[in-house]
Amino acid sequence: MSQGPLMVLDSAGLWFRAFHSVPEKITGPDGAPANAVRGFCDMVSVLLEEYSPAGLVAALDREWRPDWRVGLVPSYKAHRVGDDGGEDAPASLHPQVGAIREILTAAGITQASAADAEADDVLAELAARDREVLVVTGDRDLFQLASASTTVVYVGAGMKKRLAYTPEVVAERFDLPPGDDARVYADYAVLVGDASDGLPGVAGIGTKTAASLVREYGGLDGIVEAAEDDGSGLPARQRKAVLEATDYLTAARGVVSLRGRGFELEFEGDTDGRRGHVDRARLDALGEATGQARAIGRLEKAASVLDPS
């Protein structure tokens, strides 16, 4: 097959974004909310229409909070754990996720996951392929995947304000050292922390200081070495903060860094993201059940770019 761009989707991120950006007054014939279904289908349609990828893979969480990440940093996503031990998500979103996955299957769109892995890990494995890859996400941690062959299409500010992040763009926007890829962003993210993921960062180290340290010392290893060296020139306050956070830095790097983990991906559909069998009868039934026949029809039409040549 032609090795045109492979588009890979942070699926959960997109349907959460769809749920919160499209009013819940959008419902099916039975009155059940269908806002996430409409928003997700419309977003993916726009992406397919704009980028015309040769393949599309929707990455899925097998585990939204894997035990091995919690073992490294116990606070990881702890504030998002619901009373039942699962993710604390809107009750009206869950049934829509089932419908979205059925729509993807019926539209012949590939889905991928891996044991003990989040979608981020799946996206990292797909981005490591020897071809052009477009990673679509609203999660800044994925900026670390930008490389000569991988562009991160960031939709965190909304679809209309989406931006394409190459290594050069990541370096410029976060004042980080330029390189062939943006893997150093992971070290920057560990230093700064991320409250939404339960990662505290290093006390007193904000975005500007973190960027300055990464530029000066090349990454976490160099920063820790400087903190351990009285003659490094690292200011005393920063030395103290880094040394007190050494255990956290080691553990959090294991949580945040996505490259080279070697997860074995499992696919529902074509491994290159080409479109499989389209079950139009099932799509029609899903359109009727959710009241979103227009959005589903648009997605099915847009996905024609994925048809095998």
Side-chain angles (χ1 to χ4, degrees):
M1 60 167 277
S2 172
Q3 287 292 292
L6 171 67
M7 178 175 284
V8 295
L9 307 177
D10 178 2
S11 302
L14 292 185
W15 61 56
F16 267 98
R17 186 161 301 279
F19 179 85
H20 290 293
S21 62
V22 179
E24 282 195 78
K25 67 181 181 181
I26 304 299
T27 63
D30 60 356
N35 53 329
V37 172
R38 176 181 291 187
F40 183 90
C41 290
D42 283 347
M43 284 192 289
V44 178
S45 296
V46 168
L47 292 163
L48 289 170
E49 291 161 1
E50 177 173 342
Y51 293 98
S52 297
L56 177 67
V57 177
L60 306 171
D61 291 324
R62 187 77 67 84
E63 299 287 343
W64 73 278
R65 188 175 180 250
D67 288 342
W68 60 270
R69 278 197 167 102
V70 176
L72 289 169
V73 179
S75 62
Y76 181 64
K77 294 184 179 179
H79 61 295
R80 290 156 58 181
V81 177
D83 293 337
D84 62 356
E87 186 171 16
D88 185 15
S92 57
L93 174 59
H94 180 71
Q96 295 191 70
V97 170
I100 289 169
R101 291 204 57 193
E102 283 195 65
I103 291 165
L104 290 171
T105 298
I109 294 173
T110 299
Q111 300 167 65
S113 62
D116 298 322
E118 298 178 59
D120 288 5
D121 302 304
V122 176
L123 294 167
E125 293 294 334
L126 292 167
R129 289 187 171 185
D130 185 21
R131 64 182 296 184
E132 181 183 359
V133 179
L134 302 170
V135 177
V136 181
T137 184
D139 184 348
R140 291 188 176 195
D141 282 349
L142 275 295
F143 290 160
Q144 64 183 281
L145 299 182
S147 69
S149 59
T150 298
T151 298
V152 179
V153 180
Y154 181 65
V155 298
M159 282 292 290
K160 291 183 179 179
K161 296 182 179 179
R162 60 189 176 276
L163 293 172
Y165 280 79
T166 61
E168 295 77 15
V169 173
V170 174
E172 179 182 356
R173 285 187 170 267
F174 297 95
D175 204 14
L176 297 173
D180 294 334
D181 59 49
R183 70 182 64 208
V184 73
Y185 182 87
D187 286 358
Y188 166 84
V190 168
L191 287 166
V192 173
D194 184 349
S196 68
D197 279 342
L199 299 175
V202 177
I205 303 293
T207 56
K208 290 184 178 180
T209 301
S212 176
L213 290 173
V214 172
R215 287 197 313 275
E216 179 71 19
Y217 299 104
L220 286 182
D221 291 337
I223 294 168
V224 172
E225 286 178 11
E228 293 172 341
D229 179 2
D230 291 344
S232 67
L234 187 66
R237 182 184 62 80
Q238 294 175 6
R239 284 188 64 233
K240 182 175 184 292
V242 171
L243 289 174
E244 289 179 348
T246 299
D247 290 344
Y248 159 77
L249 291 173
T250 300
R253 173 185 262 180
V255 170
V256 175
S257 181
L258 297 172
R259 293 174 178 271
R261 295 197 178 277
F263 287 101
E264 184 174 347
L265 302 188
E266 298 176 21
F267 293 87
E268 298 177 32
D270 181 70
T271 57
D272 287 318
R274 288 296 198 180
R275 185 157 73 161
H277 170 69
V278 179
D279 187 343
R280 288 189 172 83
R282 183 60 186 148
L283 288 174
D284 288 344
L286 288 163
E288 182 176 350
T290 62
Q292 302 309 309
R294 181 206 59 80
I296 293 171
R298 181 185 181 188
L299 175 60
E300 192 274 326
K301 181 179 179 180
S304 65
V305 300
L306 308 172
D307 288 339
S309 56

